[in-house]
Amino acid sequence: GQQLNQSPQSMFIQEGEDVSMNCTSSSIFNTWLWYKQDPGEGPVLLIALYKAGELTSNGRLTAQFGITRKDSFLNISASIPSDVGIYFCAGRGMYSGGGADGLTFGKGTHLIIQP
Amino acid sequence: GAVVSQHPSWVICKSGTSVKIECRSLDFQATTMFWYRQFPKQSLMLMATSNEGSKATYEQGVEKDKFLINHASLTLSTLTVTSAHPEDSSFYICSVHPGLAGVNTGELFFGEGSRLTVL
């Protein structure tokens, strides 16, 4: 089945620093989704990517769909305390794979910001 | 994006009792909804697909008699944890996929989640 590696697993940064995380897949994806989950809440969609090479921004967040279709990254610029949370990538395979919802989820990146 | 609401947001129950969690799609009709389980600091684990008007489809290893799913209308799916035990304590989340309703989007939208604690 499809495998999705998300890194880093956790990040401890200072407020104001930039953040970068990525996901790589063992197979080709045609959709990449990035979610943020706050403690005790459900995941909230941040950015959706549909084309190889696509670069999309949402405020201080920028995500790109890798040219090979097997990877994606999410950058956060000038981090602030409310950026704390868990960030998940999720991919939809080109042909099949993933769960019945069609998605394969990364294990998440825990972002912790020190004031 | 789609608006999905779950209720209750948290529930505490005694071992052996049953607990029902509701998932509502507030702004479009969802013929399909998904239920997930999430343990602390882990990713989402798909439990089952809730199908309006028909039986739910369960992922491998998920007990269908333990986790009863009912999708009686196009806007409501319920997950009932029957005879709950402490090991059933977890965070349960539902989602909807507007793309399955014909909307041109590949995105999945999640509810706020429901925290179940079984004593």
Side-chain angles (χ1 to χ4, degrees), chain A residues 1-65:
Chain A
Q2 293 174 159
Q3 294 185 9
L4 196 56
N5 295 312
Q6 183 170 353
S7 65
Q9 184 175 0
S10 59
M11 300 183 73
F12 295 82
I13 64 168
Q14 298 283 341
E15 183 178 350
E17 289 185 15
D18 296 341
V19 174
S20 183
M21 61 192 78
N22 68 85
C23 283
T24 57
S25 167
S26 59
S27 57
I28 293 174
F29 281 0
N30 59 12
T31 301
W32 282 100
L33 307 172
W34 284 95
Y35 291 89
K36 183 195 178 194
Q37 185 177 25
D38 290 328
E41 300 287 334
V44 174
L45 182 65
L46 299 174
I47 293 178
L49 303 163
Y50 298 102
K51 296 180 181 179
E54 180 180 357
L55 183 69
T56 299
S57 293
N58 179 4
R60 292 178 295 105
L61 277 63
T62 302
Q64 185 161 29
F65 194 141

Side-chain angles (χ1 to χ4, degrees), chain B:
Chain B
V3 180
V4 184
S5 177
Q6 276 184 247
H7 178 81
S9 56
W10 59 269
V11 56
I12 301 173
C13 70
K14 292 182 179 180
S15 185
T17 60
S18 294
V19 175
K20 179 184 287 186
I21 301 170
E22 296 183 346
C23 177
R24 294 183 183 273
S25 175
L26 300 183
D27 56 352
F28 85 103
Q29 295 179 329
T31 55
T32 302
M33 296 184 182
F34 302 102
W35 285 97
Y36 303 81
R37 185 173 181 175
Q38 186 180 34
F39 292 105
K41 298 186 178 181
Q42 293 192 19
S43 189
L44 288 77
M45 182 181 73
L46 181 65
M47 298 175 64
T49 303
S50 175
N51 303 300
E52 188 268 335
S54 64
K55 292 182 179 180
T57 306
Y58 291 83
E59 296 298 303
Q60 189 173 9
V62 178
E63 301 177 58
K64 60 181 181 180
D65 295 330
K66 175 74 170 176
F67 300 99
L68 300 179
I69 292 173
N70 183 276
H71 195 147
S73 77
L74 290 172
T75 59
L76 174 64
S77 174
T78 61
L79 169 68
T80 301
V81 183
T82 62
S83 187
H85 291 283
E87 57 266 29
D88 298 324
S89 298
S90 190
F91 195 55
Y92 294 88
I93 311 173
C94 68
S95 75
V96 301
H97 180 190
L100 294 177
V103 179
N104 185 22
T105 171
E107 297 132 18
L108 207 61
F109 295 93
F110 293 89
E112 310 97 322
S114 300
R115 170 76 59 194
L116 170 62
T117 301
V118 184
L119 302 177

